[in-house]
Structure formats: C-alpha cells, structure tokens
Amino acid sequence: QVQVVESGGGLVQAGGSLRLSCAASGNIFSVNAMGWYRQAPGKQRELVATITGGGSTNYADSVKGRFTVSRANAKNTVYLQMNSLKPEDTAVYYCNVRGIADGSYSYNNYWGQGTQVTVSS
C-alpha cells in the first residue's frame, strides 16, 4: 500500500520559519494532488494548502502570503514553507496524498501520521 511520512515540525518563536516535508512511498502508481491540513487540540482539522499535479495551488485565507506549498520534480514529495509564524499556527500538520495505488483503478486519499508545529509568543 502507500505510506505517507511528514517531517520538519518543531518549536519556533513567533515570526520564525519552518519547512515541512512530505513523501509518499510504497506501491503508488500516480499522484494527482498533495496537500497539508492541520488540527489543533479540540479543534476540527482544516485545510492549509494544496497543490495539484498540474501545479495549481490553494491556500486557506489565514495563511495566504505567509505559507507556500510546492512539490519536487519527483511528484511524490511536497513541501510547506511557513514564514512569519504565529502562535495561532500551532497544530499537528498532516500531509494528504490523493493518488492511485498499484492494482487500483480509482483515486484514494492517504494520510500521514502528522508532525507537531508549536509557535511560541
């Protein structure tokens, strides 16, 4: 099956930056889109940013102008550059991969285990 692994989280001061990475591996045949979601304690998981195979991006209003999502030439890898971080950005960040696994004929969504981002004031 497909495995999704995030990395790059940590503790940072307000105004600082972090870069998250996500890699999909395993029996992946084709990746259509990848994205980042986040969930704070007691809060609903929300979209942060997505990028399609064609390069189209989408951002939550709360992160526009501060976060940038990009992908490597190998399209099973996606990054989230986070600048001007605020305490309100504190959450577990999850990578989502929309793709087709070997032996499958339809798209599925695959999730990573999450990486903690903590922004102190």
Side-chain angles (χ1 to χ4, degrees), residues 60-76:
D61 289 340
S62 60
V63 306
K64 286 181 179 177
R66 300 188 297 120
F67 291 11
T68 303
V69 64
S70 62
R71 69 179 189 273
N73 290 334
K75 295 185 177 181
N76 64 340

Side-chain angles (χ1 to χ4, degrees), residues 3-114:
Q3 294 81 45
V4 179
V5 179
E6 307 99 332
S7 63
L11 175 64
V12 65
Q13 297 290 318
S17 299
L18 284 173
R19 192 189 194 203
L20 306 183
S21 299
C22 171
S25 62
N27 296 322
I28 189 71
F29 174 73
S30 179
V31 175
N32 176 255
M34 302 181 76
W36 293 94
Y37 295 72
R38 66 186 182 187
Q39 187 169 23
K43 303 290 185 179
Q44 188 176 31
R45 187 173 299 186
E46 64 177 355
L47 179 146
V48 178
T50 60
I51 184 166
T52 68
S56 179
T57 58
N58 183 51
Y59 296 93
D61 289 340
S62 60
V63 306
K64 286 181 179 177
R66 300 188 297 120
F67 291 11
T68 303
V69 64
S70 62
R71 69 179 189 273
N73 290 334
K75 295 185 177 181
N76 64 340
T77 302
V78 66
Y79 306 98
L80 184 67
Q81 179 66 46
M82 305 186 293
N83 299 324
S84 301
L85 282 162
K86 305 175 180 179
E88 298 78 53
D89 296 316
T90 295
V92 177
Y93 284 70
Y94 296 91
C95 180
N96 173 261
V97 178
R98 174 180 164 84
I100 302 175
D102 285 346
S104 178
Y105 295 93
S106 62
Y107 287 105
N108 289 291
N109 287 304
Y110 305 94
W111 293 91
Q113 78 286 351

